[in-house]
Amino acid sequence: MSEAVSIPEAAALLLEQKRILILTHERPDGDAIGSSFGMREFLRQCCGCEAEVVLPAPPPERYQELIGEYKTTLTPEEVAQYDLILLLDCANCERIACGPAVDPVSLPELSRPPMLNVDHHKGNNVNARWNVVMPQIAAASQLAAEIAMAMKRPLPERAATFWLLGIVTDTGAFRFSNTLSNTLRVTADLLDCGANLECVVNAAYYSKPLNQQKFEAELLETQEKLAFDGRYIYAYIPDELFAKYDFDMRDGEGVIDLLREVAGTKIAALYYRKGDCFKVSLRSKDQRYPVGPLARGLGGGGHDMAAGITLRGMDQKQVEALLLEKVAAVLGEREED
Ligand code: 5GP
Ligand code: MN
């Protein structure tokens, strides 16, 4: 059974639990980190809960200091000890960062704690026991903060700082069109609770390692391409470039923004090889040309203005050609009206 619940209902549900396991999506970004570690902090400090976050792969280096300790794995028996799994910012089961041992989907149903799915992705298809899925909300961290505020207890500064991190990063520091008046109201409430903006901004925007800056300079110099009168901008990251600068996309949350800052561009794409697949990131900066439907059409997902796809069974040239074709359709179709 799967049901949609409101924010106050989710708050009431969390208050009934003693042990909560928090999971988020693979390659966690600022919102994944912010929503989950903010909730861990809040549940521990304000609800007397035993709350843990499991991250099987290390999070981006820039958030390491803010996060502190976290679990990297649990056995299925340990997972079964939890009363509830709280899944944050994750649109589908395949993207849950849990590692095989913790995988709540493959665990036998009887030993699987029920799941509360809190997310803001259109097309979320997790179908947990309880679901708070609100695509109009800018960040999962905003939803987490609203759930906590519904419990009517003071928010710890650390939790407020984590949720501010998620809101700031998922709105591109309030530059993206997902920034609404309710986003700013929750942000104001978090600042009133002592959220540390300096700490958030320094971690998210002013902590780039030198090797990353040099990696980005060479990427733009050698790989950046424009098409369709400069309305589409894209780059492929060759394996050799990652190796040359010892750079990993785990820390690459902001790389695609370098492409879309170019004047006149509407859609940006960045793609690279990952094992036997290609990982594609897509961004739009014009609501007339959303990239979410394009991504979903190719088996990916995300938001209208920020989406991603994992493509299998293709080589680099085929990926480039496929994206050119699909982006042309998005730009062209809308051009005629
Ligand atoms: P990013 O480009 O930052 O990796 O992801 C942008 C958005 O697209 C995120 O909200 C993420 O949920 C979604 N996304 C990224 N990669 C994939 C993917 O391989 N599959 C699906 N379904 N969604 C993705
Ligand atoms: Mn998010």
Side-chain angles (χ1 to χ4, degrees), residues 28 33 37 55 57-64 67 70 250-251:
I33 301 289
F37 285 93
L55 292 180
E61 184 60 40
R62 62 170 75 91
Y63 303 133
Q64 226 41 280
I67 291 173
Y70 59 90
R250 164 168 82 90
D251 296 313

Side-chain angles (χ1 to χ4, degrees), residues 264-279:
T265 58
K266 303 290 182 195
I267 293 179
L270 182 72
Y271 64 103
Y272 57 93
R273 196 185 300 278
K274 191 180 170 206
D276 58 356
C277 312
F278 280 89
K279 181 85 197 62

Side-chain angles (χ1 to χ4, degrees), residues 60-63 200-220 245 247-248 251-259 261:
E61 184 60 40
R62 62 170 75 91
Y63 303 133
V200 163
V201 169
N202 282 341
Y205 303 110
Y206 301 131
S207 298
K208 190 179 284 186
L210 192 63
N211 67 318
Q212 177 174 352
Q213 199 181 50
K214 293 190 182 297
F215 161 89
E216 290 172 352
E218 184 164 335
L219 176 73
L220 299 183
Y245 293 99
F247 181 70
D248 190 305
D251 296 313
E253 190 177 339
V255 176
I256 194 167
D257 286 320
L258 299 170
L259 301 178
E261 67 189 26

Side-chain angles (χ1 to χ4, degrees), residues 106-251:
S106 64
L107 278 181
E109 196 153 355
L110 281 176
S111 59
R112 188 194 308 161
M115 184 144 68
L116 168 60
N117 163 31
V118 175
D119 186 33
H120 69 131
H121 291 91
K122 202 189 264 181
N124 178 301
N125 63 1
V126 172
N127 287 326
R129 172 72 182 76
W130 301 283
N131 302 277
V132 181
V133 178
M134 299 189 175
Q136 73 282 14
I137 298 296
S141 294
Q142 182 183 335
L143 283 173
E146 290 191 39
I147 291 171
M149 286 169 189
M151 295 185 204
K152 309 251 183 280
R153 35 194 93 185
L155 303 186
E157 284 179 17
R158 240 173 91 73
T161 299
F162 274 118
W163 291 328
L164 182 65
L165 169 70
I167 294 173
V168 166
T169 54
D170 259 23
T171 59
F174 309 112
R175 284 173 301 172
F176 306 154
S177 53
N178 59 357
T179 306
L180 303 178
S181 58
N182 64 56
T183 323
L184 297 175
R185 278 191 198 98
V186 173
T187 302
D189 290 340
L190 293 173
L191 291 170
D192 284 344
C193 294
N196 186 336
L197 181 66
E198 181 176 300
C199 164
V200 163
V201 169
N202 282 341
Y205 303 110
Y206 301 131
S207 298
K208 190 179 284 186
L210 192 63
N211 67 318
Q212 177 174 352
Q213 199 181 50
K214 293 190 182 297
F215 161 89
E216 290 172 352
E218 184 164 335
L219 176 73
L220 299 183
E221 185 63 32
T222 62
Q223 302 294 330
E224 191 173 62
K225 290 187 186 174
L226 287 160
F228 313 128
D229 298 324
R231 291 183 303 153
Y232 175 42
I233 185 162
Y234 66 101
Y236 164 63
I237 313 176
D239 293 344
E240 306 79 61
L241 203 59
F242 286 122
K244 180 172 174 186
Y245 293 99
D246 189 23
F247 181 70
D248 190 305
M249 279 308 271
R250 164 168 82 90
D251 296 313

Side-chain angles (χ1 to χ4, degrees), residues 316-336:
Q316 188 244 313
K317 285 282 160 216
Q318 288 169 314
V319 174
E320 180 176 16
L322 179 67
L323 291 174
L324 278 164
E325 177 198 321
K326 298 294 179 190
V327 169
V330 176
L331 292 171
E333 257 175 31
R334 307 296 161 115
E335 284 300 77
E336 285 157 21

Side-chain angles (χ1 to χ4, degrees), residues 27 92 95 121 279 281-283 299-303 306-310:
R27 294 199 318 126
N92 59 59
R95 297 199 80 221
H121 291 91
K279 181 85 197 62
S281 283
L282 293 162
R283 298 290 183 272
H303 310 278
I309 325 163
T310 304

